[in-house]
Amino acid sequence: MKPFRSILITGGAGFIGSHFTRLAVRSHPGARVTVLDKLTYAGNRANLAGLGGAIRFVRGDICDAALVARLFKGLDAVVHFAAETHVDRSLGRSADFLRTNVLGTHTLLEAARRAPGLRFVHVSTDEVYGSRARGAFREGDPLNPSSPYSASKASSDLLALSYVTTWGLNLSVTRCTNNYGPNQHPEKLIPLFVTNLEEGKQVPVYGSGRNRRDWIFVEDHCRAVDLVLRRGGAGEVYNVAGGQEKDNLAVTRAILKAMGLGRDRIRFVEDRPGHDWRYAISDAKVRALGFKPRESFASGLARTVAWYRANAAWWRPVKAGDFQSYYRKQYRQR
Ligand code: NAD
Ligand code: TYD
């Protein structure tokens, strides 16, 4: 494969996108790396701290067709992370999810079909398959999303794949399980709980706490995306799993243990509407490309807790902003 000379990363100021941007700078030496990010409540320039002149940062919206067309000139790869990503928010603000996740992806695809030779990775989620009591979903299984978030991601996956069939795009889709690690917005389970505990608060476990997720350390996910970028086939979907399935109470207990705190800090709260019981995927296909996660849940969680403890200056302003007002309305019992 020829080295990429110019890579566009959408959503590169967010959690996973920023880790991927760091990886791209290291693993594609000589490539011009551009980040396109709207800096919504979830985007944070501080996530790209230290990268300085190694990247070009463009603040803008993936729905802006004129801007996207300009940025696609001379590009040879796009890695598309930009999205509205939080299930709870999608219950209250679903229009934002449809706009960015569906129409924004459509805008990128329209530009991509006018860019011959472009390689495109559309980053998606295991949530598009829906919940599954036993066993694991494979890439060819039907999509059965439960929330406006996962339905908008499923729509964008299908749209992306349709551009392979119709326009011959060289595009692959990745569907990953729950990520955790440094720089994740404290609206998501692990950083919310770690930062609440740092603040002396309790942690709100939804429902019975028995819902199950498979967890992957963010850097492992990024390595899988980079591998798919280089070796993935056009029109192919790749599940990316962490292989560390746990129920939410087990995750909560692991956090409490890592922070030396007791179970009295757990507070059971009203369940999330439509709360998917369990996500599970088979990752044999991406493993056949050569991928294997490196971080165990215990070591990844220790790194994550240490990062949040050392970086209160990163998360305190985030928790004081949009986050607070949104959650006060959404879940009063917090
Ligand atoms: P995030 O919410 O932390 O970051 C999203 C980024 O996209 C932010 O920087 C935001 O400013 C930007 N953005 C949002 N709307 C935009 C728009 N219209 N134009 C340009 N930029 C915009 O998200 P994340 O957790 O890093 O997830 C990144 C991608 O990975 C998403 O596509 C998500 O569906 C997928 N994914 C996430 C997980 C997970 O556990 N977090 C798991 C599997 C897949
Ligand atoms: P989350 O991090 O929002 O990711 P997703 O819903 O995309 O899997 O939630 C992970 C799990 O943790 C999910 O089962 C919901 C649960 N959860 C809580 O119990 N309490 C919380 O405050 C949050 C944010 C999530």
Side-chain angles (χ1 to χ4, degrees):
M1 193 201 76
K2 274 202 312 202
F4 295 118
R5 287 154 304 153
S6 181
I7 304 174
L8 178 72
I9 301 169
T10 73
F15 166 46
I16 307 170
S18 62
H19 284 272
F20 183 82
T21 301
R22 286 180 196 284
L23 175 66
V25 166
R26 281 198 314 275
S27 71
H28 296 275
R32 177 179 166 90
V33 175
T34 303
V35 166
L36 170 61
D37 198 294
K38 188 178 173 182
L39 296 181
T40 66
Y41 79 95
N44 192 336
R45 278 304 302 262
N47 290 344
L48 298 169
L51 285 174
I55 61 164
R56 173 168 65 134
F57 182 82
V58 178
R59 183 171 189 177
D61 193 328
I62 58 166
C63 299
D64 179 343
L67 171 65
V68 166
R70 257 199 324 279
L71 293 176
F72 270 55
K73 289 214 172 78
L75 263 194
D76 46 20
V78 176
V79 187
H80 173 35
F81 292 93
E84 289 291 338
T85 60
H86 194 209
V87 174
D88 290 336
R89 277 182 192 256
S90 82
L91 308 181
R93 299 187 190 179
S94 48
D96 293 349
F97 286 70
L98 298 182
R99 183 181 176 279
T100 287
N101 300 0
V102 184
L103 298 179
T105 301
H106 175 250
T107 306
L108 298 174
L109 294 168
E110 277 294 301
R113 79 176 173 90
R114 296 181 171 87
L118 184 81
R119 173 86 183 114
F120 196 125
V121 177
H122 172 70
V123 179
S124 189
T125 165
D126 62 354
E127 300 191 26
V128 297
Y129 296 113
S131 188
R132 179 166 181 146
R134 276 176 302 281
F137 288 111
R138 301 184 72 88
E139 287 83 353
D141 286 337
L143 307 189
N144 185 24
S146 320
S147 71
Y149 164 62
S150 52
S152 67
K153 291 295 292 188
S155 308
S156 64
D157 287 19
L158 295 177
L159 199 57
L161 291 168
S162 80
Y163 273 64
V164 179
T165 311
T166 304
W167 301 111
L169 250 61
N170 181 4
L171 176 149
S172 308
V173 175
T174 59
R175 294 187 181 139
C176 190
T177 54
N178 283 57
N179 283 227
Y180 69 100
N183 306 88
Q184 186 170 30
H185 193 286
E187 66 189 356
K188 307 280 172 30
L189 176 77
I190 290 180
L192 176 70
F193 283 17
V194 172
T195 57
N196 269 16
L197 293 168
E198 279 288 281
E199 293 174 310
K201 296 182 188 160
Q202 288 188 303
V203 295
V205 172
Y206 296 165
S208 66
R210 294 295 178 195
N211 301 63
R212 302 180 75 80
R213 299 288 184 268
D214 172 49
W215 293 92
I216 188 167
F217 192 67
V218 59
E219 291 172 1
D220 280 329
H221 179 195
C222 291
R223 285 192 304 105
V225 170
D226 195 38
L227 188 67
V228 169
L229 174 66
R230 293 165 193 272
R231 298 210 202 130
E236 299 293 335
V237 177
Y238 298 90
N239 289 343
V240 181
Q244 325 226 24
E245 185 183 327
K246 298 181 186 312
D247 71 25
N248 293 337
L249 271 179
V251 172
T252 306
R253 284 197 294 267
I255 295 169
L256 289 168
K257 188 165 170 229
M259 297 182 72
L261 296 167
R263 295 186 190 176
D264 56 311
R265 304 294 282 274
I266 297 177
R267 178 152 162 235
F268 288 94
V269 300
E270 192 181 313
D271 208 354
R272 169 190 280 173
H275 193 177
D276 277 331
W277 182 251
R278 174 175 176 266
Y279 298 137
I281 50 176
S282 155
D283 64 352
K285 195 168 161 186
V286 79
R287 282 188 182 247
L289 284 188
F291 175 70
K292 195 170 173 232
R294 290 181 184 154
E295 198 77 47
S296 71
F297 187 72
S299 63
L301 186 64
R303 283 177 68 182
T304 305
V305 168
W307 188 86
Y308 281 92
R309 281 188 153 159
N311 289 281
W314 181 92
W315 56 262
R316 280 193 197 279
V318 177
K319 278 190 115 169
D322 181 20
F323 178 83
Q324 284 290 349
S325 53
Y326 177 77
Y327 280 101
R328 264 203 294 271
K329 274 185 260 150
Q330 188 81 0
Y331 290 113
R332 287 185 193 281
Q333 65 270 54
R334 291 179 176 217

